[in-house]
Amino acid sequence: MSVSQEYRLAKSLVWSDQEFSLADFVKRYELPQVVLVVDGYCGVNERTTFSSGLILTLHSLHTTSKIVCQVPHSNAVVVPTSCPLKAEVIPMDCRDTIVTAYQLSTTCQQIKYVRVMEAGSTCNNNSLETLKTNDILQIKKNDSKNSVIRCKNLTTAQDVSILIDSTAVFVPLLDSNTYNLAEIQNKFGLPAKVRFLDKKAEKKLRSVPGKRQPSTYLSDLGQMTAIEEIQESDVIVTTTCSDFEEKLCLNVPTTLDIRITVAEGFLRGDETYQKVVKTLDKQLSRTNLEAFDDLDVYEHMDAVEKKMEDMAKDLSVEDASPDILKHARGHLARVE
């Protein structure tokens, strides 16, 4: 079937007056489907720009899970749930981001694990000579009689005693291990206070040949609150055009602010409509790929799916949209 025949086939459909947002439609109905853009949208690229009157074939839906993280003194970022980078977990009820030995012996006795942030002076405490920055300590006993905190240095497997008036500074921890975001969600639930520390590992993991270095590293953001998991979805779309070389295949965010309508045959379950959908959905896989070589878009279904697989593996840190930020902050306020 030539593209002009494909176009005529799509144009033969009788469109209904029933309108949907793109997000609502793909949530309610199985794909593939053929739709008509009623209210278009002018975005920043091909993925987000669609004019009214354009006929689209919606082929399949791809969903990625991400976690919204509130950054102190800033807005929020979204991070893929599949991000393998490890983070330490900080008690949610601990308002202090750092604590002293005196606090551990008085107001913060519920804390059982800490990371050494600063070893402090050793002039009045020989035990501090065995401590190094980032050592993980398990607090065994608050020995008020001898004015020391007895700990197990889990990094060196040594027993240490820290004077209550020590100048050392610590980061409170929920336990001694580090976890990726999916593990944190499963083990502790959300919201959770976390901090990514290993910038060297992050640089190695996020280094992609031919791509610019990331502008934001998780390990630079300090302590953050992982608030909730969200689902971001893209739909694979092809345009139906009279000119073969104008046919595009794109992955489009379902949140795109366009209104679409469906054919009367869709509402009636008409066999003719179903044949049109099957024809347009299969047409893409039979397309001559060479015809797309000069297009600055994702040319073919295989290419789009490969691109979306790469996007799923992408560890990019993105700023949360105003809507996502508002919802996440509301959720955090309700659960705190």
Side-chain angles (χ1 to χ4, degrees):
M1 176 181 287
S2 69
V3 171
S4 59
Q5 289 174 314
E6 173 190 308
Y7 181 69
R8 286 197 296 270
L9 184 61
K11 291 290 285 185
S12 69
L13 294 172
V14 178
W15 302 103
S16 71
D17 295 328
Q18 189 166 350
E19 295 184 12
F20 304 87
S21 68
L22 181 60
D24 185 45
F25 184 81
V26 298
K27 185 184 298 183
R28 292 174 60 180
Y29 300 107
E30 291 186 4
L31 302 184
Q33 300 291 348
V34 178
V35 299
L36 175 72
V37 178
V38 179
D39 291 327
Y41 184 81
C42 183
V44 296
N45 53 31
E46 291 95 339
R47 290 181 63 225
T48 55
T49 301
F50 293 90
S51 60
S52 300
L54 190 62
I55 299 173
L56 304 176
T57 303
L58 311 181
H59 294 274
S60 59
L61 192 65
H62 178 86
T63 301
T64 303
S65 298
K66 296 185 177 182
I67 291 180
V68 185
C69 298
Q70 175 69 60
V71 181
H73 314 299
S74 184
N75 290 325
V77 296
V78 289
V79 185
T81 306
S82 59
C83 176
L85 293 170
K86 300 283 187 175
E88 62 185 12
V89 186
I90 300 154
M92 275 296 293
D93 57 357
C94 185
R95 296 190 176 276
D96 295 312
T97 56
I98 57 174
V99 292
T100 63
Y102 178 77
Q103 287 175 299
L104 290 173
S105 69
T106 54
T107 58
C108 299
Q109 291 188 31
Q110 77 279 10
I111 296 172
K112 300 304 178 185
Y113 297 91
V114 295
R115 175 172 57 84
V116 179
M117 186 173 181
E118 295 178 12
S121 171
T122 61
C123 62
N124 62 349
N125 191 350
N126 291 333
S127 292
L128 288 178
E129 294 177 358
T130 66
L131 292 184
K132 293 182 179 179
T133 300
N134 292 328
D135 279 357
I136 304 298
L137 308 182
Q138 181 181 13
I139 299 174
K140 293 290 190 178
K141 182 181 179 181
N142 182 14
D143 188 348
S144 56
K145 181 179 179 180
N146 294 296
S147 298
V148 296
I149 302 172
R150 304 200 183 279
C151 307
K152 181 79 170 183
N153 188 330
L154 300 179
T155 305
T156 63
Q158 292 179 313
D159 292 324
V160 295
S161 296
I162 302 173
L163 289 174
I164 290 175
D165 60 358
S166 163
T167 57
V169 178
F170 308 93
V171 176
L173 301 176
L174 203 53
D175 74 10
S176 60
N177 300 312
T178 56
Y179 305 89
N180 61 43
L181 286 175
E183 292 169 337
I184 291 170
Q185 184 179 23
N186 291 333
K187 185 176 178 66
F188 304 105
L190 300 180
K193 289 183 180 179
V194 302
R195 182 188 284 104
F196 293 90
L197 294 173
D198 196 341
K199 189 168 185 177
K200 183 178 180 181
E202 184 175 6
K203 281 187 172 182
K204 182 178 180 181
L205 198 61
R206 296 178 63 185
S207 177
V208 179
K211 290 187 67 175
R212 292 184 302 173
Q213 288 295 314
S215 58
T216 303
Y217 286 94
L218 289 170
S219 48
D220 289 337
L221 297 179
Q223 178 180 302
M224 63 183 77
T225 302
I227 301 176
E228 63 177 348
E229 185 177 56
I230 60 172
Q231 308 296 322
E232 291 192 346
S233 299
D234 280 10
V235 59
I236 296 181
V237 170
T238 51
T239 58
T240 303
C241 306
S242 58
D243 187 340
F244 182 84
E245 293 188 357
E246 292 181 2
K247 183 180 179 70
L248 305 180
C249 179
L250 307 163
N251 60 300
V252 178
T254 58
T255 53
L256 189 66
D257 189 18
I258 61 173
R259 301 287 297 178
I260 58 177
T261 189
V262 294
E264 292 283 358
F266 166 78
L267 299 176
R268 297 194 304 266
D270 187 76
E271 288 187 9
T272 302
Y273 168 77
Q274 294 174 9
K275 289 180 180 178
V276 172
V277 172
K278 289 181 179 179
T279 300
L280 295 181
D281 187 44
K282 291 180 179 179
Q283 179 67 18
L284 186 65
S285 61
R286 294 202 302 267
T287 300
N288 180 358
L289 301 186
E290 294 180 359
F292 287 111
D293 284 349
D294 297 329
L295 292 180
D296 186 22
V297 292
Y298 309 136
E299 297 91 347
H300 183 261
M301 181 74 78
D302 292 338
V304 176
E305 290 179 338
K306 176 64 167 60
K307 179 68 177 180
M308 294 175 76
E309 288 175 4
D310 292 342
M311 289 171 64
K313 299 175 184 176
D314 188 8
L315 301 180
S316 60
V317 180
E318 304 169 351
D319 290 333
S321 69
D323 287 343
I324 290 176
L325 179 59
K326 181 180 179 180
H327 184 276
R329 284 178 172 171
H331 175 72
L332 183 60
R334 289 191 297 272
V335 299
E336 279 189 328

